[in-house]
Amino acid sequence: MVHTVKAVADFAGISIRTLHHYDDIGLLKPAGTSPSGYRLYSNSDLERLQEILFFKELGFGLQEIKDIMDSPSYDRKQALHSHKRILIEKKKRLEDLIGLVEKTLTTMERKIGMKNEEMFDGFDDAKIEEYKREARERWGHSEAFMESERRTAKYTKADWDEIKAESGDIITKLAALMDEGKSPADDEVQEQIERWFKHINDRFYACTPEVFRGLGDMYVADKRFTEFYDKVRPGLAEFKRDAMHAYCDKLGG
């Protein structure tokens, strides 16, 4: 049985635009298209979408989800058991936080203090982070990941210093161009993005335009990358993503 893109969007509670984006980055390719060119999804596609949404719920970035799910060793049943375990942990964490709110309100009403350690009961994400580490270790070995591991294993301290200098220079120049009011598609911005594309290819792994686009998405979807770039210049993560998308559009990827 096949399903239209609108039906799938309604099933999953997401937008049609999101499904188009998943298709564009190779995360969820529809089984086929109708004679008029509309995307059509199979039941297997729905199962993959469900998995994607589980991983998103647990804080994984889109490129990371793609790498994990495309791994030859990926096991859906095993992943579902892991999802269940961590969702139960999240449920417990939410219950603990609700209890903490109630306890805090009670102490305020009674005008009594709370012990310092009591004020932060329930905020611990250790179990969730543990699962994410397990998933990365078990399935996160894409071809690009393994190629990067092979290359970087040979790098000396001098190599790493040079790599950091290269990447730092590109990031600094992008932030400066952003301050000047340049658009992501501006020629000067695209010159730096081309340097970044070459940097990834030369230093880490063979990066196709499709992968490069997904990498740009990850800079915004993964809060760790967003925080890193936005410390350099607020909004830089989104600016860089949009510039990378513009670059990929020119390459046809």
Side-chain angles (χ1 to χ4, degrees):
M1 183 177 180
V2 293
H3 312 274
T4 65
V5 67
K6 183 179 185 308
V8 174
D10 290 342
F11 293 154
I14 59 178
S15 68
I16 291 174
R17 183 178 178 182
T18 295
L19 288 169
H20 288 178
H21 180 57
Y22 289 175
D23 183 6
D24 291 341
I25 65 174
L27 180 58
L28 180 66
K29 290 285 186 185
T33 54
S34 69
S36 51
Y38 292 102
R39 293 168 172 85
L40 296 174
Y41 294 83
S42 67
N43 288 336
S44 293
D45 294 331
L46 295 185
E47 290 175 357
R48 182 175 173 93
L49 176 59
Q50 184 196 53
E51 279 294 279
I52 291 167
L53 296 180
F54 275 136
F55 276 115
K56 276 197 70 184
E57 179 65 26
L58 297 174
F60 287 84
L62 296 182
Q63 184 61 44
E64 195 170 23
I65 295 171
K66 183 177 185 299
D67 287 344
I68 287 172
M69 294 186 67
D70 288 347
S71 169
S73 61
Y74 182 70
D75 184 310
R76 182 169 181 255
K77 185 175 180 180
Q78 193 175 52
L80 284 169
H81 280 300
S82 296
H83 291 330
K84 179 181 176 182
R85 175 165 59 86
I86 203 64
L87 287 169
I88 290 171
E89 191 65 40
K90 285 190 77 172
K91 178 185 175 185
K92 179 180 178 299
R93 180 176 182 271
L94 287 172
E95 289 171 346
D96 289 344
L97 286 171
I98 291 169
L100 179 59
V101 170
E102 291 174 345
K103 187 174 183 178
T104 304
L105 286 170
T106 299
T107 60
M108 290 174 66
E109 289 164 2
R110 295 180 181 177
K111 296 183 179 179
I112 57 176
M114 291 179 71
K115 294 179 181 178
N116 290 340
E117 59 270 20
E118 287 181 320
M119 293 176 66
F120 302 100
D121 284 345
F123 285 105
D124 188 4
D125 272 341
K127 290 289 184 183
I128 295 171
E129 291 303 316
E130 180 185 343
Y131 164 69
K132 290 171 76 172
R133 284 195 300 274
E134 287 176 9
R136 291 185 185 104
E137 289 169 4
R138 182 177 297 155
W139 298 306
H141 298 286
S142 65
E143 186 176 339
F145 174 85
M146 290 186 285
E147 182 182 351
S148 177
E149 288 282 289
R150 285 194 296 269
R151 288 197 198 181
T152 57
K154 301 175 184 176
Y155 289 163
T156 64
K157 183 181 181 302
D159 292 327
W160 282 115
D161 288 343
E162 189 175 337
I163 288 168
K164 288 175 184 176
E166 285 175 4
S167 62
D169 184 62
I170 295 168
I171 292 167
T172 301
K173 285 179 177 172
L174 283 172
L177 290 167
M178 193 178 173
D179 285 336
E180 291 174 20
K182 303 290 186 182
S183 74
D186 183 271
D187 287 344
E188 290 181 75
V189 174
Q190 288 299 298
E191 183 180 334
Q192 297 306 316
I193 294 300
E194 186 170 33
R195 286 182 66 201
W196 188 249
F197 185 68
K198 189 172 185 298
H199 178 78
I200 299 295
N201 274 281
D202 290 350
R203 297 295 194 175
F204 297 101
Y205 54 83
C207 185
T208 65
E210 183 180 56
V211 170
F212 194 60
R213 185 185 293 274
L215 192 61
D217 290 324
M218 186 172 68
Y219 294 154
V220 174
D222 190 320
K223 67 178 182 180
R224 295 168 300 176
F225 285 99
T226 306
E227 288 171 359
F228 170 78
Y229 284 113
D230 286 4
K231 279 180 183 176
V232 178
R233 204 281 189 188
L236 181 58
E238 287 192 15
F239 182 82
K240 188 173 182 181
R241 176 202 61 191
D242 293 345
M244 289 168 73
H245 281 198
Y247 183 78
C248 292
D249 288 342
K250 289 193 299 183
L251 296 180

